[in-house]
Amino acid sequence: MAKRKRRSPSAPKQKSSAFFTFLKNERFHFILGVIVAFIGIFMLLAIVSFLFTGAADQSSVLNRSYWELIRSETPEIQNWTGAGGAYIAERLVNEGFGIASVFIPLFLIYLGLRIMRVSKFSFLKALFIVAFGLIAVSITSAFILDKIFVHTHVKWGGTHGIQIEHLLKSSIGSPGIVLLILLFIVIIAVIFRKSSMHRIQKTLVNTAPSFVTGNEPDRSDMDMDNNSRVAQREKKSGGLTRVIGSFKRKFFDEESNNDGQEQTTEPKTATAPGQTSNQPATSSAPSTGTHGTPQASPSSSITQKSEDDFEVIVPKDDETAFPLHQEEQANAPALPHDMEEYDPRKDLSTFRQPTTSLLKIYNTGDKAVDMEEQNENKNKIIHTLRNYGIEITSIKATVGPTITLYEIVPQAGVRISKIRNLEDDIALSLSALGIRIIAPMPGKGTVGIEVPNKEPQIVSMHSVITSKRFQESTFELPVALGKTITNEVFIFDLTKMPHLLVAGATGQGKSVGLNAIITSLLYKKHPAEMKLVLIDPKMVEFNIYSAIEKHYLAKLPDEEKAIITDVSKVTQTLNSLTKEMDDRYELLMKAHVRTIKEYNEKFIQRRLNPDKGHKYMPYIVVVIDEFGDLIMTAGKEIEMPIARIAQKARAVGMHMVIATQRPTTNIITGTIKANFPARMAFRVTSQIDSRTILDMSGANQLIGRGDMLFSQGSHLIRIQCAFVDTPEVERISLDIGKQRGYDSAFPLPEVFSDADAVPGAVDLNDRDVLFEEAARLIVVHQQGSTSLIQRKFSIGYNRAGRLMDQLEAAGIVGAAQGSKPREVFIADEYSLEKLIDSLD
């Protein structure tokens, strides 16, 4: 049986399709928008010029058509825009709407900007404002300005305003026109600023007679009853009411989004199910339709309909959209009389953050996309898939700093696993260092293929720190890591993570990533608001931060170095941090709050008494560079305090960032992984290591040099880490270090074992051989510190702790006071000798 030949589409159809494709072209929209905007500017200039030159041109323009005007031999037109502008201005102003005619060119300018996709101002709102402004301003100008400026060439209200004003004067009189003008003013005020409506309501309520407000039913109940009645009427009245209601919701909701910021609380960004974000825990912003998520008014639900009448209703959460009522404001806690809020920055009031000039600017520029490379890769991908019998319907590319993401839509019936298995074949075809296939893309009906660029760009720390997103960030502990595939700056809040696990092979950018985290915090937080505990077993990575010891670093009392490099000191420091955590929880319990943010807000408002032990608590960020070395050296002694801090310390503002170059199961144990939900993975050597750090493969397919995957949950985000070089970090540290700091680093509390902490268990008859020397040391320095004894006599921490307990039992020093040194009860050596003699 002969095969039937397929009909080729007709030529008119092809031409029609090409025409509509041209109309949808972005370049066409931009050019059209520019033309419309320039027409509006021309008309606006003509109207402005008419106010000054209209009298000279009026004799030439009146009673002539446009063609007669430009062909006739008349004296030179004075209008700045020539005969055409003079003609347009005369028709719009004197024969049209008067001075209100300026709304027409302004609307054309707005329309041009909207077509160019520059302005996002609501079209319906703009149209309403222009129509209302033409009518209202025209009538008002005719009633007021035409009476004041009589002998002038300008009809301030225009023919329209004069005729309507005469009609109104004969029907409602001059007082009625005055009331109408006041009505126009009220409407304009409410349109442009919704808060004016609430001010008018408040004024009317406060000035209303007592018989109106005395027995007035509860307004909220009335609103609920009215809403229910309106809902019933809409349900009964059918489709027309729903269409009108939808129009009203769309118009007034856009108006409230733009003008109601004084009444609304912090807005929330809605994300459709399955939709992902490149910025976890990011600062919320009003939704402007970026993701196509419609907004509803506070009293309605979001309704969406598909072509097959499938209706989806998303109920809107209740929000507090208005400020506190007067009664609630009266009950709000106030500061005591003659007291101002506590300022934690006051001790270092002259401190300034490092300037961005300390960061290096790399001359990457805005390199144009290499279309030849993109087309070549596209063709190779299509050809490789076709060789294995896989056809696709569409393909698009998103070019990032180092990676290009190709999103393909396979034809119906193609198994996704079949595409996933072609990873090596596509890499061979593209001659790429390594590709990663995401099948399917989360929240999309596409398959992603990530291909390295031939010429990757450096993402500088300068470009990330100076970005608007970072500068305007309101996070508690903002960290700017780098840029995503879509060239967006990636920022997360460390307090929301709340702990971060970093892994990567040697030389893949792990240490640079840690420096980027620390640099972000130094550029955003004041020394009074954040402290760093830096643990560096490699001894060389964090030395550059020693200059900021008296500003940002925390350490055990009397330790010589704030940067911990001795493994034996790490256990003491971590145990001290657990003690600090427990002390903070006790303060939170006494203050009846749940988080450090609530506690500090109370303390700033002077609602907590420092005499009862309360103090302002800075955030503490613990950064451990080589966690694997610590585990191999100390094992459980290191793992257990880290697990305790990771499990509990989030609420009291303590957060951990630990890094390792060996992401094996004996280093990153189940206990560690369970308490570190946020992960940063640089390139690793094997798929097993990738699964250990991320619980999935992918890190073994990265290209190195800062290329990384960020995970918080099941979704991975590919990021090019910002590059901050050692000289840059050194300049930042020295810039901070040369400023005035605190007297010493932030002291961490001393910790003793339970057996040694009980003074009653000390036997003074069995005193240490160093007891007398330790007692003289403490009396001479007048400072009861275990670390002082440990350092001076070169003994272990446990022995020094036992000596301190014996000194306490002998009455030489007082009890432990957290991070403060013990009180010394003996004033001089003579009194000490008498006390020692009495012990014998």
Side-chain angles (χ1 to χ4, degrees), residues 75 115 238 259 273 275 299 352 361 370 392 410 434 442 470 554 583 611 618 650 658 691 736 753 770:
I115 295 173
D259 303 326
Q275 205 168 37
S299 60
R352 56 173 178 78
I361 302 175
D370 188 351
I392 62 174
F470 181 78
D583 293 344
D611 295 335
R650 171 183 184 173
I658 65 175
R691 291 188 181 278
I736 295 173
S753 63
L770 295 175

Side-chain angles (χ1 to χ4, degrees), residues 156-420:
W156 298 99
T159 303
H160 168 270
I162 294 172
Q163 292 178 353
I164 299 297
E165 189 260 344
H166 288 163
L167 179 64
L168 291 174
K169 195 169 185 179
S170 61
S171 56
I172 61 177
S174 296
I177 297 178
V178 173
L179 290 175
L180 187 63
I181 293 173
L182 292 175
L183 175 63
F184 289 154
I185 294 172
V186 171
I187 293 174
I188 291 172
V190 171
I191 289 175
F192 279 94
R193 198 170 185 83
K194 191 178 179 181
S195 58
S196 57
M197 178 182 72
H198 301 292
R199 291 197 185 98
I200 296 172
Q201 289 175 334
K202 186 177 177 181
T203 303
L204 293 175
V205 168
N206 292 338
T207 57
S210 58
F211 67 85
V212 175
T213 60
N215 299 320
E216 187 180 10
D218 186 20
R219 185 177 183 85
S220 61
D221 295 338
M222 293 176 61
D223 290 342
M224 291 173 62
D225 294 340
N226 290 336
N227 289 339
S228 61
R229 285 196 293 270
V230 170
Q232 290 178 0
R233 284 200 300 270
E234 287 187 2
K235 187 175 181 181
K236 292 178 181 179
S237 59
L240 179 62
T241 305
R242 285 197 295 271
V243 171
I244 297 173
S246 175
F247 171 80
K248 289 168 66 180
R249 282 194 296 271
K250 175 178 176 60
F251 177 78
F252 289 106
D253 208 31
E254 288 177 348
E255 180 254 329
S256 65
N257 283 339
N258 292 324
D259 303 326
Q261 293 179 357
E262 292 187 6
Q263 287 77 28
T264 56
T265 57
E266 186 177 357
K268 298 179 180 178
T269 304
T271 306
Q275 205 168 37
T276 58
S277 172
N278 284 337
Q279 188 176 354
T282 54
S283 54
S284 57
S287 176
T288 55
T290 306
H291 300 295
T293 306
Q295 292 189 348
S297 62
S299 60
S300 66
S301 298
I302 300 173
T303 304
Q304 304 179 49
K305 276 193 175 183
S306 61
E307 295 179 355
D308 55 354
D309 288 336
F310 175 63
E311 187 173 2
V312 180
I313 299 175
V314 184
K316 187 174 177 64
D317 294 335
D318 295 332
E319 294 186 37
T320 305
F322 298 95
L324 292 173
H325 294 295
Q326 289 181 348
E327 298 82 1
E328 295 173 338
Q329 291 176 346
N331 294 331
L335 289 175
H337 294 294
D338 303 327
M339 290 186 69
E340 60 180 10
E341 288 188 346
Y342 172 77
D343 184 8
R345 301 186 177 193
K346 194 170 185 179
D347 292 339
L348 295 182
S349 58
T350 58
F351 180 85
R352 56 173 178 78
Q353 309 297 143
T355 61
T356 55
S357 61
L358 301 173
L359 297 170
K360 184 177 180 180
I361 302 175
Y362 292 88
N363 189 23
T364 56
D366 295 330
K367 292 184 179 179
V369 177
D370 188 351
M371 290 306 300
E372 183 179 348
E373 177 187 351
Q374 300 304 323
N375 288 324
E376 183 181 350
N377 287 345
K378 180 198 72 171
N379 294 332
K380 286 180 178 179
I381 290 173
I382 295 174
H383 181 70
T384 304
L385 293 175
R386 190 169 290 160
N387 288 342
Y388 291 90
I390 299 173
E391 295 290 339
I392 62 174
T393 58
S394 67
I395 181 171
K396 71 173 184 177
T398 304
V399 182
T402 56
I403 299 294
T404 298
L405 172 65
Y406 294 90
E407 293 183 61
I408 63 173
V409 179
Q411 282 188 347
V414 175
R415 296 175 65 88
I416 298 298
S417 59
K418 192 174 181 182
I419 301 177
R420 195 185 292 118

Side-chain angles (χ1 to χ4, degrees), residues 148-159:
I148 298 174
F149 305 104
V150 179
H151 304 291
T152 178
H153 67 283
V154 180
K155 295 181 182 178
W156 298 99
T159 303

